[in-house]
Amino acid sequence: WIAQSPPDSPPAVTALEQFQEAHPDLLPSEHPGYDSWSGPSGFATSYPFPVEEVLKCRTAAEVDLLIEKSAAADPLTSAMWAFRALDAIADAASQDLAWAQDILADLAEKTSWTSQYWPAILSGVSRAAPQADHGGLLSLASLLAGVVQHAMSASEGGQILPRIAELLMAVVRRPEVTSEVLDATEAVGAGVVEKMHLGPSDFIAGEPQDILDRAMNNWTGWITRFWVDAISHRRKLAGDSWAGLSGGTKHSLGQLIDASFPYNIYPQAMLAANFTFINDVDEAWATERVRPLFAWADDHDRAARAWSSFLGGAPWNERISTMLNSDLRLAFGELHDELGKVLAGRFAQLIV
């Protein structure tokens, strides 16, 4: 600005020359006279330290030291990217399952249940679960079974339980799961269900509209999906010898249905969405425990949520429509707007 506005002013020229000599790296602005301007922008992603350095740490204390050294060596960069330190740790966990287990075991041994590393590492392990080997999954499940048996507080459960639920769901989303892995992960899943009341409930909403979508994006829905998918694997492995749900599975599913409010909202919605499947694998249990969720006379709000979720779930069949007949008739008068249209469309598909 000085160079363009008063170019013939000796004091200005002298001051500019002195400034340029002191700051040779500064170039004239492309937008002189403007305090701000618009232009293309981007956001460069970076970690405060390489993931490779994280993987060299053998304990949580060594990870702490890495973060501290990074901050001391380059305070400005560290401050700018401090929020990504946990992302780097999550990436490390996704790249090396054995490393992740070592750090988690260290945290568990020191009973560091509130450490911020728990959710980061468990999230990373969830990304690695689809490709993890059989032995690694068994070892991890054994470790987590001990974790969920710990007497947690609400603050501890709030950050650990959702991430374990996410991990369990990732395991059973694999195309093939062995009976040994199912045994091990179901033990962990049962522990999560037992402690569900210690997890977060901040984002659970009871409105019927879009309840299935919300359930699929909440940890209480994830742990329920885990059990549904585990049942699917169990039936596939059993083949013609399938004899219905095991006592342990019935117990955990029953706990999900009967959980305290609002923790029961999304599990009930998820089971209602899978009513056709659950009825197929164990009609007696489905009739006793899942069918009542649709009863308008028993609990109108719960029924509205169940029907909304059911309409967004798996296709009906004639058997299911017969089981729901009395409450299906009432549903046409209870569900309005978009839900009413979906109900009419699904029913039309059934009778055509």
Side-chain angles (χ1 to χ4, degrees), residues 25 40 47 60 134 143 154 159 183 209 214 234 256 275 312 338:
D25 55 323
Y47 292 145
H134 179 267
L143 170 64
Q159 69 170 354
D183 289 341
Q209 189 71 41
R214 297 198 305 276
R234 288 286 190 191
L256 288 167
F275 183 39
E338 188 61 31

Side-chain angles (χ1 to χ4, degrees), residues 311-330:
L311 292 173
W316 302 357
N317 56 39
E318 187 175 346
R319 176 61 182 158
I320 291 296
S321 65
T322 300
M323 292 179 66
L324 294 173
N325 184 45
S326 59
D327 286 295
L328 174 59
R329 293 174 181 272
L330 293 175

Side-chain angles (χ1 to χ4, degrees), residues 172-173 224-237 242 244-245 249 253 270-287 290 294 310 313-317 319-320 323-324 346:
V172 292
R173 300 299 285 181
T224 312
R225 287 181 64 187
F226 159 73
W227 283 103
V228 172
D229 287 345
I231 293 168
S232 180
H233 284 293
R234 288 286 190 191
R235 185 174 69 164
K236 181 179 179 181
L237 290 171
W242 177 256
L245 301 176
T249 299
L253 292 179
M270 192 65 67
L271 293 174
N274 289 277
F275 183 39
T276 301
F277 167 72
I278 297 171
N279 187 70
D280 186 43
V281 297
D282 197 320
E283 184 172 338
W285 189 86
T287 301
V290 183
F294 297 87
F310 180 60
W316 302 357
N317 56 39
R319 176 61 182 158
I320 291 296
M323 292 179 66
L324 294 173
R346 293 292 295 271

Side-chain angles (χ1 to χ4, degrees), residues 39-63:
S41 62
F43 183 76
T45 58
S46 179
Y47 292 145
F49 37 74
V51 172
E52 292 75 17
E53 293 299 313
V54 182
L55 291 171
K56 293 178 183 178
C57 300
R58 306 320 306 172
T59 65
E62 290 182 15
V63 178

